[in-house]
Amino acid sequence: MADTGQGAEMSETRIFKGARPRELPRPNRTYNQGRVCEQDGCETRLSMYNRSRYCWAHTPLKFPVVRGERRPRRPAA
């Protein structure tokens, strides 16, 4: 450490940043390998990570419920 000439010493400050060790994330869920799309005539092999029984082309359509934007509440009179 260096002397500043005023009789005081400068101290060295060390700051360490980090994170505590945590458990590893859970592994992805897998399904049977070698599965084939259930649509008649389709022979597309499904990924082991795809939980659906159908390939992307034959998956039944699902429409989400869309309710629009919420309006702010007016204060009670």
Side-chain angles (χ1 to χ4, degrees), residues 20-29:
R20 292 183 178 205
R22 297 184 192 140
E23 294 181 26
L24 294 175
R26 291 188 310 197
N28 293 332
R29 179 174 286 179

Side-chain angles (χ1 to χ4, degrees), residues 9-75:
E9 293 184 12
M10 292 178 44
S11 63
E12 191 174 314
T13 304
R14 294 184 185 185
I15 299 174
F16 295 96
K17 289 188 176 184
R20 292 183 178 205
R22 297 184 192 140
E23 294 181 26
L24 294 175
R26 291 188 310 197
N28 293 332
R29 179 174 286 179
T30 57
Y31 302 90
N32 296 333
Q33 291 183 358
R35 296 178 302 133
V36 179
C37 177
E38 289 188 5
Q39 181 70 29
D40 291 338
C42 183
E43 302 206 11
T44 302
R45 292 184 61 209
L46 301 174
S47 166
M48 63 187 271
Y49 301 106
N50 181 356
R51 70 176 165 178
S52 176
R53 299 177 308 163
Y54 299 99
C55 66
W56 69 272
H58 298 114
T59 300
L61 289 177
K62 293 182 182 178
F63 295 98
V65 177
V66 180
R67 297 184 181 197
E69 293 183 25
R70 290 183 178 241
R71 294 182 183 177
R73 291 185 177 187
R74 286 187 269 170

